Amino acid sequence: MDGTQDIQGKEQVSICLQYVDQDLVPQEVFVGLYEVLGTTGEKMAKIATDVLLRLNIPISGLRGQTYDGAANMSGKFSGAQAVLKKEQPLALYVHCGAHCVNLITQSACRPYYVTHCSGSMTLEL
């Protein structure tokens, strides 16, 4: 799950599912975009469970969750991952690798300033 606003400013989430098929080959499918009425962990978890229900996928089969580091998703007590983990304790949360790479890239592309020991000289690298 990942959230964004559309051109009209409405919050929406995209949902992708990863699974292993009968030949033990990992698969990933885009399920869809869903409008959300709120972004609390409880509401985001509700969207996830509703999508699984509509796809006839039992939550008992959920084994992992990956989200960005936002508190509403990754929060230890009331984030979506915590809410889903209460329903399915085997659904481990891992910070999304793609978000980690994005954060590293953004940080690496920022200008850095080097200041001479006396503080009289500043260079932009």
Side-chain angles (χ1 to χ4, degrees):
M1 290 180 75
D2 194 16
T4 188
Q5 288 187 352
D6 66 11
I7 196 166
Q8 296 176 338
K10 293 181 183 175
E11 188 70 25
Q12 58 188 0
V13 295
S14 62
I15 297 182
C16 294
L17 295 176
Q18 294 178 334
Y19 63 95
V20 178
D21 66 16
Q22 292 176 338
D23 297 323
L24 301 178
V25 177
Q27 303 289 329
E28 183 174 18
V29 293
F30 171 71
V31 177
L33 286 170
Y34 298 88
E35 186 176 342
V36 295
L37 301 176
T39 57
T40 65
E42 187 78 32
K43 290 187 180 193
M44 299 302 275
K46 177 80 169 117
I47 291 168
T49 54
D50 286 350
V51 168
L52 292 174
L53 181 65
R54 289 180 185 166
L55 295 172
N56 291 323
I57 299 172
I59 196 162
S60 61
L62 186 61
R63 292 297 181 264
Q65 312 174 62
T66 59
Y67 312 113
D68 60 15
N72 66 328
M73 299 305 288
S74 64
K76 188 175 180 178
F77 301 108
S78 59
Q81 69 90 16
V83 174
L84 289 170
K85 196 160 174 121
K86 286 178 191 170
E87 287 187 57
Q88 174 47 284
L90 297 175
L92 300 177
Y93 165 71
V94 177
H95 192 283
C96 178
H99 281 95
C100 289
V101 171
N102 187 33
L103 293 171
I104 291 166
T105 304
Q106 285 177 2
S107 180
C109 291
R110 285 191 195 123
Y112 287 93
Y113 297 94
V114 177
T115 304
H116 189 270
C117 292
S118 67
S120 61
M121 184 174 83
T122 303
L123 298 172
E124 182 177 339
L125 298 179

